[in-house]
Amino acid sequence: MTQHPDLAAEQAYIDFAYECLERTRSDAWRLRNLTEADLGGTHQARYERNVFDEALVNRLTELELGSAALVFGRIDRESPSTDHDGGSGEPESFHIGRIAVADGEREPVVIDWRAPVAEPFYRATGRQPMGLVRRRHFVVKARELLGIEDELFGEGHLGVAGEDGVSQRLSGYSTLIAALESRRTGQLGDIVATIQAEQDEIIRSPQAGVLVVQGGPGTGKTVVALHRAAYLLYTHRFPLEDQGVLVVGPNRVFLRYIDRVLPSLGEAGVELAILADLVPDVTFGGVETPLGARVKGDARMADVLAKATRDRGRPLKDDLVVPYGVTNLRLSAATTEQIVRAARRRYRRHNPARRYVEAELFAALAASSRIETTADEVRDRTRHAEEVREALERMWPVLTPAQLLHDLFGSHALLRLAGSKWLSEEELAALHRERQSDVAEVVWSAADAPLLDEARELLGPRTTRSGRAIDEEIRTYGHIVVDEVQDLTPMELRMVARRSLNGSLTVVGDIAQATGPFAPDDWGDVLGLLPDRRPPRTVELTIGYRIPEQIMAMATRVLRVA
């Protein structure tokens, strides 16, 4: 590459940007050391110091770039008129980089790539220059500037128009090719220096609703979705930082592959997970039969589990008789049926209704007494009696998701009672497995994860007598990114939808690559199981960047036939 005449000047500017970055990092460390020096004070003071310290740690994390380049480009845009004759002043210049950096006077040195002023760096074309007179791409290795590529805008620089009248030229062609030809490391890197216009449009699209990103192999749909997460966190820092952003991948290999992308963009607080990671207090690693996995992924399982949960509220078969001093207390089976029916009607979830069932049981026992007493007195004197505990466990047991599924799958009778309306005998048999002596010893399969999650929603948290929750509610997120969404089962899609706080998701995939028994015919099959608070949007990436020449040649031959 021929040396650009501005290479030395731009290298000096990059060196200055790194000096400003180092000064900012040093100032942040100094502030942190000052807050750590004084650990006393009131509870409020300590809380404020902790919040301040957390913000500093986040800032220090953002400033750790490793070997990633800080600055990768510059835009020069037309300046507003500066004289009374309508003449224009010198163009304004902005250096675009990974994170924002300012000098000692708080003047911007580097503009964050997500800032609105940086948008023309990715979107400007010869037909629509967006006010630019020049766009400059840097070929950078760490701190060293290796080359410069300029694109000029204005008369004489319109370029060649495509069929739709818009320039089809790739932005920063030489820089893009250099990035594509760089050696692969086994981890996905960011594309922040070489984002193309169609990719940037997706990255900066509005947050609300479900955005489907369709793209064939090598189109960069995964990395575009991750950059979109970083952009949304920058643009909607409050409230997204508190609400959280979740990225769901198909397996742990994938998570290891992408785990450096968001930190390299200055966003280290995003949660990366596979679906099984979102289910607490159980052990995964079990192997499922093909039929068992298919049945467990079927949307009909939502009805089966709802029925199985309802079946765990049962009236007594016989009257309950409890010794109480010189007399007996009696609770008729008919009354327990009324209590169970009322609990089902009053409560949407199972576990919170247990306190109501207990209260009604002790009230009914007190009403049957021949001596004057109260429900509270009956509770205090009889709640540890074996017959009372057994009655409550039959009428309305407090259950964990693992206990519900362990009991269900371990009993042919319970499976038929819960699922015969929706599943065949063969399908019910595929769900059955031998009971373990201890539910904690059960090793669950990946196909069980959405069922355990469905059960968690149906059961609700367990509580103490004082009403304090023992279990945490299912956490929701302000934005969710899902990769390879076309391979998720209906039950897995329900699990994802359950975690959406406001219906904001970016789902990424390729219908043509769908595998498995629930491969969708079109995106409507997927969107039907995701939040619908806003109309969904579907966009498509059309340019492949990392497809080997041999595969492209074969694809071309196939397309001619197809």
Side-chain angles (χ1 to χ4, degrees):
M1 187 180 291
T2 305
Q3 181 165 312
H4 194 284
D6 292 344
L7 189 72
E10 294 289 16
Q11 179 66 69
Y13 192 93
I14 290 173
D15 293 339
F16 174 63
Y18 273 102
E19 291 173 9
C20 294
L21 176 64
E22 189 58 41
R23 186 185 307 114
T24 303
R25 186 185 291 115
S26 299
D27 291 344
W29 276 116
R30 187 163 53 251
L31 278 172
R32 190 172 189 224
N33 291 335
L34 287 173
T35 61
E36 285 184 337
D38 181 13
L39 299 178
T42 64
H43 174 76
Q44 178 67 21
R46 291 195 298 273
Y47 172 78
E48 290 174 356
R49 275 197 301 273
N50 289 339
V51 171
F52 184 66
D53 184 69
E54 183 179 353
L56 279 174
V57 169
N58 290 339
R59 178 58 175 160
L60 287 165
T61 302
E62 292 173 4
L63 298 176
E64 287 293 339
L65 297 179
S67 60
L70 170 61
V71 188
F72 48 76
R74 166 182 151 184
I75 53 175
D76 299 341
R77 71 181 187 186
E78 298 169 349
S79 178
S81 175
T82 56
D83 58 44
H84 298 294
D85 299 324
S88 61
E90 291 295 317
E92 297 178 295
S93 295
F94 300 94
H95 283 77
I96 311 301
R98 201 168 295 275
I99 57 174
V101 177
D103 61 18
E105 303 300 321
R106 303 299 180 191
E107 290 296 321
V109 175
V110 181
I111 303 298
D112 192 297
W113 67 276
R114 297 166 289 188
V117 73
E119 186 174 348
F121 181 76
Y122 301 107
R123 303 283 283 279
T125 66
R127 298 285 176 183
Q128 295 180 318
M130 300 178 71
L132 296 193
V133 295
R134 176 169 58 186
R135 171 168 54 204
R136 175 167 286 180
H137 295 267
F138 297 155
V139 180
V140 189
K141 184 177 181 181
R143 299 187 179 208
E144 183 183 1
L145 179 61
L146 303 177
I148 296 174
E149 176 188 3
D150 281 337
E151 295 177 85
L152 303 178
F153 298 86
E155 291 297 327
H157 300 290
L158 290 179
V160 180
E163 294 181 1
D164 58 356
V166 179
S167 174
Q168 299 296 303
R169 186 172 184 271
L170 293 173
S171 174
Y173 183 79
S174 299
T175 309
L176 175 62
I177 295 302
L180 294 178
E181 292 180 345
S182 62
R183 188 173 66 88
R184 305 299 292 270
T185 65
Q187 279 195 312
L188 185 65
D190 64 69
I191 58 168
V192 64
T194 58
I195 293 170
Q196 299 301 299
E198 71 167 1
Q199 296 171 329
D200 189 70
E201 185 175 359
I202 295 170
I203 290 168
R204 296 176 191 266
S205 60
Q207 176 192 355
V210 178
L211 176 68
V212 177
V213 182
Q214 159 76 34
T219 53
K221 53 187 179 293
T222 296
V223 74
V224 165
L226 295 175
H227 283 65
R228 173 165 161 77
Y231 170 77
L232 292 176
L233 271 165
Y234 174 87
T235 307
H236 307 284
R237 180 69 61 188
F238 177 82
L240 265 187
E241 197 166 56
D242 290 331
Q243 294 172 348
V245 173
L246 173 66
V247 176
V248 177
N251 51 58
R252 297 204 185 283
V253 174
F254 173 84
L255 295 187
R256 288 195 294 271
Y257 179 57
I258 69 169
D259 69 356
R260 290 304 309 157
V261 175
L262 286 162
S264 74
L265 299 173
E267 299 297 346
V270 176
E271 184 175 344
L272 308 181
I274 61 175
L275 290 177
D277 294 335
L278 305 177
V279 181
D281 305 324
V282 295
T283 302
F284 288 97
V287 178
E288 194 68 62
T289 66
L291 178 57
R294 186 184 68 77
V295 176
K296 288 181 178 181
D298 198 299
R300 293 174 295 167
M301 285 302 298
D303 295 316
V304 173
L305 292 181
K307 179 65 164 58
T309 304
R310 180 182 175 85
D311 289 342
R312 297 310 299 269
R314 301 170 288 185
L316 300 180
K317 294 180 179 179
D318 301 307
D319 292 355
L320 171 65
V321 180
V322 183
Y324 192 72
V326 297
T327 186
N328 288 329
L329 304 180
R330 181 178 293 272
L331 178 65
S332 69
T335 302
T336 65
E337 186 174 356
Q338 294 172 3
I339 293 173
V340 167
R341 191 183 300 118
R344 288 172 177 168
R345 186 174 61 250
R346 288 169 177 259
Y347 290 86
R348 184 177 65 87
R349 298 197 288 180
H350 178 86
N351 285 337
R354 168 62 179 253
R355 295 178 67 199
Y356 170 81
V357 172
E358 288 185 5
E360 291 299 301
L361 181 144
F362 290 119
L365 285 174
S368 73
S369 176
R370 297 176 183 176
I371 61 175
E372 187 174 343
T373 188
T374 65
D376 288 339
E377 290 174 344
V378 171
R379 175 195 292 273
D380 292 340
R381 292 176 58 179
T382 67
R383 62 190 176 93
H384 295 300
E386 183 176 353
E387 54 266 52
V388 172
R389 292 203 307 270
E390 289 179 354
L392 285 170
E393 284 306 299
R394 173 178 172 80
M395 289 178 63
W396 209 273
V398 174
L399 298 167
T400 66
Q403 288 170 338
L404 177 70
L405 263 63
H406 185 235
D407 291 344
L408 177 65
F409 294 159
S411 168
H412 286 293
L414 288 178
L415 278 170
R416 290 193 185 93
L417 183 64
S420 60
K421 181 179 178 181
W422 297 280
L423 304 179
S424 68
E425 282 295 325
E426 183 184 13
E427 290 171 325
L428 290 172
L431 295 176
H432 182 265
R433 62 173 170 227
E434 294 300 319
R435 286 179 55 86
Q436 300 280 347
S437 58
D438 185 351
V439 67
E441 297 176 359
V442 177
V443 179
W444 303 87
S445 71
D448 288 316
L451 305 188
L452 289 162
D453 198 68
E454 189 82 22
R456 187 179 173 192
E457 174 65 17
L458 291 166
L459 292 171
R462 295 169 295 167
T463 59
T464 63
R465 282 193 62 193
S466 62
R468 181 179 62 84
I470 299 173
D471 309 309
E472 292 185 1
E473 291 279 7
I474 292 175
R475 182 182 174 184
T476 56
Y477 296 83
H479 190 76
I480 301 175
V481 175
V482 186
D483 201 277
E484 303 294 353
V485 71
Q486 77 279 352
D487 291 333
L488 295 189
T489 68
M491 290 303 293
E492 288 172 332
L493 289 170
R494 286 175 62 90
M495 184 176 178
V496 170
R498 195 173 291 123
R499 277 161 177 77
S500 177
L501 175 65
N502 48 23
S504 174
L505 296 93
T506 302
V507 297
V508 178
D510 181 9
I511 290 292
Q513 296 184 66
T515 59
F518 299 101
D521 295 325
D522 56 49
W523 284 114
D525 295 340
V526 174
L527 292 170
L529 293 165
L530 293 177
D532 58 357
R533 301 178 192 180
R534 298 285 183 92
R537 295 160 288 150
T538 302
V539 294
E540 185 165 7
L541 291 167
T542 59
I543 301 174
Y545 295 94
R546 283 202 181 270
I547 305 175
E549 182 180 1
Q550 298 91 330
I551 293 178
M552 287 296 291
M554 175 60 75
T556 301
R557 290 167 58 191
V558 171
L559 283 173
R560 289 196 186 105
V561 176

